[in-house]
Every structure is written in structure tokens, then in C-alpha cells.
Amino acid sequence: MKEMFPSANKRFLNIDHLLVILLIVLILPLNILFIYTSKVSENALLSQAHSNITSILDIYTGNLDVRMTQVDELLTDFIQNNTNFSVIRNRPNDEYYTMHKFFLAQDMLENTLPKQNGDVYFMYNENLQDTLVARRSEYSDINTSMVSKYITEHYNDLYRSDWQYITVDHIPYLARANQNGRCYVGCMIRIDRIVNELCGRIDQLSPSEAAAQILVSPSALETARLESQNQQFFFSAFDHSDCLLSVNLPTQSILSGLSFFQQHTYALSLIYLAVIPILLIFIGFLLLRPLHILYHAMQQLEEGRQEYRIPSSSQRHMTSEFHSILQEFNTMSDSIQNLTIKNYEHQLARQQVELDNLQLTIRPHFLQNSFGILFTLC
């Protein structure tokens, strides 16, 4: 019986372990490959967005740099060659001063109209503490009194530095001033409309709303990056200012150009990994459970319990194939038990025949010996 059902060799792995290893080998490399290809696609898309948006930013910063260069030339020309400015710089505040101040304002606007380099021009006379502000007609929303107040308080700062980013009455500007004696002439370039136009162009590349801003320094950009972990920042530097023109977009809006599976790579990978135990449970119910029942029954027979049969309760919820196999096992066990009993009966019958033959062999000898004893006694 032990030869018919040999015990499992310890050198071989359990089928449960083999299935776990097989599923991991099949699913895990595919997950890793899937994540890797999706990551490559994300990096490629982010790199493409970086290239496109940075190119747009370079165009806008280039245009602003050109405007700043032309304004610098214009301010230098005002200081050196403008008659009205020369009169204002050296004249007390009288009616002629007021007249030349009016003419200076006209000169400023007339010079800026053809090229539209500057949006707001100003003059500050430090001796008289007098301010002149001339704005372009389309910027009627600019509060000239607020601009005048800001210039009065910060004219020295505007002169000492290159073009700098300022905010007056919640309106952002790039501003700079030039000096001749104690008289300052400067210009302010309004950038809120430029930023809005920039955002509109970037919105055509990304379905999400872009946020553009002027950052004072690279350190400010780094701080903004740290505060917004899920944002992508793109920037371009000015030649005539230490400011940066920056655009930030949600990373997810940029990655929306990927396919559904690429966007949800990590979630799908976790789902695929979660499938492994589910598959093991499913396979265990359909395949491993019947095999374990059959293996247990074979061990019972191996240990000599020939009366053991697989109970019908263990055969519930099985496929028809395994149900037939377990039924055939019970039938085979019955046949083996019947054959064993018949074999024992044949052996007993044979032993009885041999015993009868021995008895028949003993009886003639017994009679002969008895007669021999009687003959001797007689």
C-alpha cells in the first residue's frame, strides 16, 4: 500500500508556494515595466511642456527687455536733450514751470505712442518736491495720485537699482528712474495685461488655468516651489532686471495629456498587486482545495485506513471534473478494499486447504503407527 501512494518528497516545493511565486513572477515584472514606461511618458510630457512654455516665456521676457532698452534710451534722451526738462530742472515753481511741465508731459506721451514702450512716465523734482505723472490714454484705470505718492516715497530706490518689480494700487509694474541733478525722470511698464495674455496663450497648451507672476529673485522662485509641491514652475530671466517671469501649472493638468492608463499607473499597479491574493483565493477554492482533499485521502490510505472515504460534504461547491475525480477515488478505494478482502479470503482458503492436506497426511501415518503398536503388543 505504501508503494502505491508514496509520500511527498521533501525536495519539492508545495504547490501553494509555486503558485505564489508564479503569480509574482508573472505580474510583478509587468507592473514594474508598466510603471517605468508611464514614468518615461510623464517625463517626456513634462519636458515637452517645459520646452514649449519656456519658449513662450522667453518671447515675452525678450519683448519686455526690448521695451526696457528703448525706454532707457528715451529717458537718457529726455535728460540730455529735452528742453522742457532742462527748464523744469532749473526753474522755480511758477507759471513758466507749470507750462513746461505740461509740455514735458506731452513730449513723454508723444514719444511713447509710436512704439508704446512705456505705459506711465513720471518726473520728480526733488528741490520743489513736485511730481509729474503722464499715462497712456487706454490706461484710464490707473490712479495717478497713487502713482505720484509712490514716486514721492520711492524715487531714490527706483533710480539706484535696475528695472524692478513694484505694485501700485494693486497694479504690477516694471519701473525705473534716471537722474539729472536733483530731478528724476522715469517710466513704468504695466505688466498685468501682459501676464494675462501670457496665461491665455499657455491655456491653449494646457487645459488648466495657468498662473503667471513676476518673481523678484531666484530664491523667491525656490520658495514658491517648496510651498507648492504639486505645481510645475517655468521661468525666464530678464536681461535688465533681477526679476523672473514665472508660470506655474498643476502637474496633473500637464499630465492630463496622457492616456487614462498612464495617468493612473500607480493605482492600477496597486490593483494588479492586490489581484495576486484574490487569484490565490480563487485558485485555492477551485483547484488547491480539491487537491488537498484528495492528497489527504491518499495519506489516509497510505497509513492503512482503508475504510476512509472522502465525505460528500467536502465535495460541495466543486467543479464537475474534481467532483468526478473524488467520486472515482471513493469508488477506487471501495474496489481496493474489496480486492484486499478477497485476497485475504483466498489466502485463508489456501491455508485451510494446506491444513486439510496436512491432516490427511497425518491420519494414515497415525493408523499405521497404531496398528504397529498393537501388532507388537500381541
Side-chain angles (χ1 to χ4, degrees), residues 280-295:
L280 286 175
I281 294 173
F282 185 72
I283 294 174
F285 182 79
L286 290 181
L287 178 62
L288 298 181
R289 176 172 165 266
L291 288 178
H292 287 314
I293 293 173
L294 183 60
Y295 179 71

Side-chain angles (χ1 to χ4, degrees), residues 338-352:
N338 293 332
L339 289 174
T340 302
I341 293 173
K342 288 181 180 180
N343 186 34
Y344 285 155
E345 290 176 351
H346 285 307
Q347 289 181 0
L348 290 174
R350 180 179 177 182
Q351 290 176 357
Q352 185 65 40

